[in-house]
Amino acid sequence: MKFITLGPSGSNHEFVTRRYLDFHGLRDSATMELTPDFEQGAQALLQDRADFMVQCAVHPATAETVAKCFEGLYVIDSFISPSQDLAILQRSDVRHPQSLAVMPPTLPYIDRSQWRRIELVETVAQVTRGLIDGTYAAGLGYASAAAMHPELLHVAQFVGTVDDAWIVYGRTRLSAGRLTAWRDSPAGRLYRQAA
């Protein structure tokens, strides 16, 4: 069984997909492949080169991916998961960085007015890697990178994480045209308590 999700290695998609596989006890029986974009991931699924695909619901390509239901790609599951903790990381060898590297969807997480220039980067993993290799002096990256590279980076501002909705795709339509939901979910219990 092969799951596919968005790379590069170290991405939130990889992190959350591993958590999903662990949740279902699939770590030993499933493999994971990283794709450079969801169009290629969807094609791998449709061409039987992968079995399932995991995508963050707020990813810019989600609407196009869901539309592939007309080609045989179906939403088969959804779940909520926090991503990796984020922080504004700064290289220790730069005293006063003038620009901040940020993936566009994470820009609302911070006050951008404190930066003279914002550099838009495709993924948080690329921001983090760019901080480590010196491409960027400061950026909104994975907080764990400061602990892994204390000689290079420090946390200028801890941001934390958000709980995102995630979508799992497969080639078998499971809803059969009906609402598919978990009545005894934590939200279902909350609704019953509130009623």
Side-chain angles (χ1 to χ4, degrees):
M1 184 171 19
K2 184 190 285 187
F3 282 76
I4 194 164
T5 195
L6 188 65
S9 181
S11 70
N12 268 328
H13 279 81
E14 179 185 36
F15 173 79
V16 171
T17 300
R18 285 199 195 289
R19 293 182 82 198
Y20 182 79
L21 294 176
D22 288 345
F23 176 82
H24 284 290
L26 299 172
R27 180 70 77 103
D28 295 331
S29 61
T31 61
M32 182 178 12
E33 181 180 313
L34 301 177
T35 183
D37 60 57
F38 283 110
E39 175 61 31
Q40 290 181 53
Q43 289 308 312
L45 211 62
L46 291 169
Q47 295 168 5
D48 205 23
R49 292 182 282 119
D51 301 297
F52 304 100
M53 184 170 71
V54 178
Q55 180 180 46
C56 186
V58 297
H59 190 279
T62 300
E64 291 174 22
T65 307
V66 171
K68 297 228 177 273
C69 70
F70 298 107
E71 298 174 34
L73 185 75
Y74 301 102
V75 173
I76 63 161
D77 198 7
S78 62
F79 61 97
I80 299 166
S81 177
S83 295
Q84 299 177 68
D85 283 329
L86 298 176
I88 295 178
L89 301 174
Q90 184 176 324
R91 285 193 52 90
S92 298
D93 59 354
V94 178
R95 195 168 271 212
H96 300 290
Q98 299 298 306
S99 64
L100 183 73
V102 179
M103 181 181 82
T106 64
L107 197 51
Y109 300 171
I110 60 163
D111 175 11
R112 67 184 290 173
S113 68
Q114 61 187 328
W115 300 96
R116 187 173 292 174
R117 194 177 75 229
I118 300 292
E119 295 181 57
L120 300 179
V121 179
E122 198 168 316
T123 68
V124 176
Q126 288 173 327
V127 171
T128 305
R129 202 167 289 120
L131 287 161
I132 294 165
D133 69 21
T135 303
Y136 309 116
L140 185 57
Y142 298 128
S144 60
M148 292 173 15
H149 302 279
E151 74 288 357
L152 296 175
L153 304 172
H154 65 273
V155 173
Q157 179 188 340
F158 183 77
V159 175
T161 187
V162 296
D163 291 341
D164 282 317
W166 295 79
I167 301 169
V168 182
Y169 302 90
R171 290 184 302 274
T172 303
R173 187 174 187 188
L174 300 180
S175 75
R178 297 183 310 268
L179 173 72
T180 303
W182 177 24
R183 191 178 310 273
D184 197 34
S185 71
R189 290 192 298 271
L190 181 67
Y191 302 149
R192 285 191 297 283
Q193 288 173 356

